[in-house]
Amino acid sequence: MSAEKIIERIAQDAEKQIHDIISEAEKQSQSIMKNAKVDAEKEAESILQKGKLESENQKKIMISKATQDLRRDLMNAKEEIIERCFTQALDKLASLPDNQYRKLVTMLIRAGKKRLGENCTLSVSRPIDKEIAQQEAISVQGTIQSIGGVIMHSADGKITIDNTFESLLGRKKDDIRIHVGKILFPS
């Protein structure tokens, strides 16, 4: 074989190797691109699923917060209505007709005398209380600021019973609040 043929043969072999290498590189490139595309699609699906899950969680959190806010607002509104009822009750007690007021305070004084004894004294809130005290044979110690009712003191001054309307209502407020709540909001 001549040198030219050898060179031509080497050139052909080199050309074939180059072609084979390029062909193999293109196959590998397509395989890599195909795998990358599959991986990218999997990653995109994973990101999409995470996004949907986060979105659902945020939605649940927002609904839960809105529900809590609604319940709190509803409870505050109910509490405001109940407080208005207490205010109206105090207003009603403050404006009791004399005959009803007299009966109520007489009952409170008699109950207090049973607990404190006959020698107790009174602090009064209204002029009519002095008349009631005279009828019940109890001395008046002084006056107090109240819409009605009396404060009773034991003879030795160690025990005091606050039977003012504000205190009576205040002591029963929790029980009354529950009762009023059941009446106003039965559900």
Side-chain angles (χ1 to χ4, degrees), residues 43-58:
E43 183 66 23
E45 183 63 28
S46 174
I47 290 170
L48 183 61
Q49 289 301 322
K50 285 180 185 176
K52 285 180 181 178
L53 186 60
E54 283 184 28
S55 173
E56 283 297 316
N57 286 340
Q58 284 298 323

Side-chain angles (χ1 to χ4, degrees), residues 53-130:
L53 186 60
E54 283 184 28
S55 173
E56 283 297 316
N57 286 340
Q58 284 298 323
K59 180 180 171 183
K60 288 176 184 176
I61 289 170
M62 290 173 70
I63 289 171
S64 175
K65 185 179 180 325
T67 302
Q68 287 176 345
D69 289 347
L70 177 65
R71 285 183 182 150
R72 185 185 61 247
D73 291 346
L74 183 60
M75 205 162 83
N76 288 340
K78 287 179 178 180
E79 184 61 29
E80 186 178 325
I81 291 169
I82 290 171
E83 282 301 318
R84 284 186 197 166
C85 290
F86 279 108
T87 301
Q88 288 176 357
L90 284 172
D91 291 345
K92 196 135 181 131
L93 286 169
S95 62
L96 278 176
D98 282 351
N99 63 336
Q100 289 179 349
Y101 180 84
R102 185 179 298 275
K103 286 178 187 177
L104 181 58
V105 172
T106 300
M107 180 190 71
L108 293 172
I109 290 172
R110 288 179 182 165
K113 277 173 64 174
K114 284 182 183 176
R115 289 185 61 202
L116 299 175
E118 292 292 323
N119 294 332
C120 60
T121 60
L122 289 178
S123 295
V124 297
S125 61
R126 295 183 183 181
I128 194 172
D129 296 336
K130 291 179 184 178

